[in-house]
Amino acid sequence: AAPAYTVAFAPAGFSIDNFAPSGLNNHGQVIGNVDGIPAIWQGTRVIKITALAGHHAHGIHNRGDVVGSSINGPFVYTSAGIRYIPIEQPWDEDNRASGINDAREVIGWGHAPAGESARGFLNSRRGTELIGTFGGDWSYAFSLNRAGHVVGYAQGPSPTNPFGAAQAFLYKNGVARNLGTLGGLESRAW
């Protein structure tokens, strides 16, 4: 049977012009930012998370925990409060937590060691693991599953670009596996 879908319309008086959605969970909760404040849109309600004013929300999981970015670095917001991802890096608002799974494992990217521009990370009960590159200067982690397997892309060599090219990876058990380019010059995994 075909999956059943429904269309939800924004609540009365709510303008999509001031809502920037960035994530969705299995309960139909949409996370985003309203007038610069992270907010959850569920059904006919928009709930601003005023405790996160000045932060940017990027993902939400099925328990309603929110991840995102701030001047203090990538964060996780739960009913217990806010927790910043512990990586000893110089943070700015371009550093972000981009996803979270139901085990509360968090992925994203931040400024990397000297000489590199960014490094993907996986934060879990084991601590924070930086995801390597394929000989380049950067990596970005975009999605993860229940098992904690991460996909994203990292800079690697390119036959046509002296600055390298994006190459998709699967990161699991502490190892980033290059997924190749399928015959093209680049690949990315989202």
Side-chain angles (χ1 to χ4, degrees):
Y5 296 97
T6 59
V7 176
F9 293 95
F14 177 74
S15 169
I16 198 68
D17 293 334
N18 68 349
F19 183 68
S22 56
L24 171 72
N25 68 15
N26 291 338
H27 301 295
Q29 295 175 308
V30 178
I31 190 67
N33 299 283
V34 175
D35 299 325
I37 298 174
I40 298 172
W41 174 17
Q42 181 172 10
T44 60
R45 296 179 24 185
V46 174
I47 304 161
K48 288 185 178 180
I49 308 170
T50 56
L52 295 178
H55 292 63
H56 302 280
H58 301 295
I60 185 169
H61 75 50
N62 292 326
R63 291 185 183 134
D65 295 347
V66 174
V67 296
S69 60
S70 78
I71 195 68
N72 297 315
F75 71 85
V76 180
Y77 179 77
T78 69
S79 59
I82 191 165
R83 175 178 66 88
Y84 294 96
I85 304 297
I87 303 177
E88 296 181 26
Q89 307 294 346
W91 296 114
D92 66 25
E93 289 193 50
D94 189 41
N95 299 292
R96 67 180 60 198
S98 56
I100 183 170
N101 66 12
D102 289 338
R104 292 189 167 133
E105 295 172 310
V106 178
I107 57 158
W109 60 87
H111 284 273
E116 297 181 11
S117 59
R119 187 62 75 85
F121 67 80
L122 168 63
N123 178 260
S124 68
R125 289 184 182 105
R126 296 180 305 275
T128 301
E129 302 169 46
L130 295 179
I131 299 172
T133 70
F134 302 120
D137 292 336
W138 43 260
S139 65
Y140 296 92
F142 280 98
S143 294
L144 78 162
N145 64 14
R146 289 181 181 173
H149 301 160
V150 178
V151 296
Y153 56 91
Q155 185 181 30
S158 168
T160 60
N161 185 343
F163 299 107
Q167 296 178 6
F169 67 75
L170 170 64
Y171 182 81
K172 67 180 185 177
N173 301 322
V175 177
R177 179 176 165 221
N178 190 330
L179 298 178
T181 61
L182 300 174
L185 297 176
E186 293 190 334
S187 64
R188 297 170 190 233
W190 298 90

